[in-house]
Amino acid sequence: MIRSSQGGRMMSESRIAASYARLLHDYLQRQGHDPSAVLGPQTLTTQHFVPMAVWQTWLAAVDDHEGRRPALGLRIAEGVRAQHFGVVGYAALACANLGEALQRMERFHASVYDANPAHLSVHGDTVCIEWGVARGRPGALVDETGLASLVQLSRDLVGKHIPAREVWFVNETPADLAPYRQFFGGEVRFDMPCTRLVLDAAWLAHPLRKSDPELLAMMDRQAEALLQLVSQVPSAIEAWRRSLVPLIREGRTTLAELARLHHTSPRSLQRRLADQGTTFQALLDETRRHLAEAHLKEGRLDLAEIALLLGYSEQSAFTRAFRAWTGQPPAQWRRAQLRGASLPGASVHTPAP
């Protein structure tokens, strides 16, 4: 079982990614409504995150605007795409199958939906994703939109309708259960002790149809552009470093994987690295450090998103590595860079995407 812990934070401190909040704006536009007229002024273009309280207010405003029609969260979720999950969604597109994608989204869920921690587990022929109530209850609209979005994204990734075996919600039973049973395709229960999604485990091995080559190529080009900002290295090392970019993003950071890409054996690659005065671990650390520093300077990504793109399973692992490289945690290093850039005569170089 993979567990994500958010410590002692409460629901009042929770937040969602601005990319996920865009889902609501896209829904309103599909309905022919002006999002600003319904939701009021908003700052999605300048924020990484939206406070949970604001998300709750926005959902309630749309619910009022539509006259409290049943199953609003399900209708909103119908338009979900990988980009609404931000970097986590993009990283999921690089996975080989749905199981890998769900694990990646579960591991980094807090960078998209920072409410109660998620727990993913496999029991026999079922897979269960569960959210408790330790940090509070965000409400029916938040829960239903979140769970339906995860189900819809999974269906979009594999290109098939994935019926749920069972769905639980902690909220009170709505007047009409039919829309929920139709959307999820299985038994839906309310007034339960936790929020839960149960699927057939066989879906975990299903390959993704939505691996997006253009999107992944764009991510690789951006990473390579960031690497070009650092000092020049011998051509052999540059080739290995460029090959590491997608491996790092996909979490396949081993000597064997790099050797396979270069059609050689791990032993031969090790010797060639030694001839250049380096090792695989040194090359990996150097590449990750340069990418980390460039992403931090650029300022577009949250620390959890940077950790994911660098192939770390937890943000804390990225923080430890960055401290070892620079003597500072990444947040402190970023603040220092921003202060330096604000000084008279300072300039910031941002690579083209």
Side-chain angles (χ1 to χ4, degrees), residues 18 28 84 103 113 117 206 208 217 232-233 263 269 274 295 309 315:
L28 287 170
H84 292 117
Q103 283 197 324
Y113 182 83
H206 202 289
L208 304 190
Q232 294 297 309
V233 295
H263 308 289
L269 179 56
H295 283 307
L309 285 179
Q315 182 180 327

Side-chain angles (χ1 to χ4, degrees), residues 307-325:
L308 187 152
L309 285 179
L310 297 182
Y312 290 101
S313 60
E314 301 287 348
Q315 182 180 327
S316 58
F318 165 54
T319 298
R320 287 193 299 271
F322 195 86
R323 188 191 294 272
W325 298 329

Side-chain angles (χ1 to χ4, degrees), residues 12 16 31 39 49 55 117 122 147 154 224 235-236 291 300 326 344:
S12 60
I16 63 167
Q31 302 303 310
L39 305 177
F49 292 97
W55 179 238
V122 177
L147 189 53
S154 298
E224 289 167 6
S235 58
L291 287 172
R300 296 181 185 178
T326 67

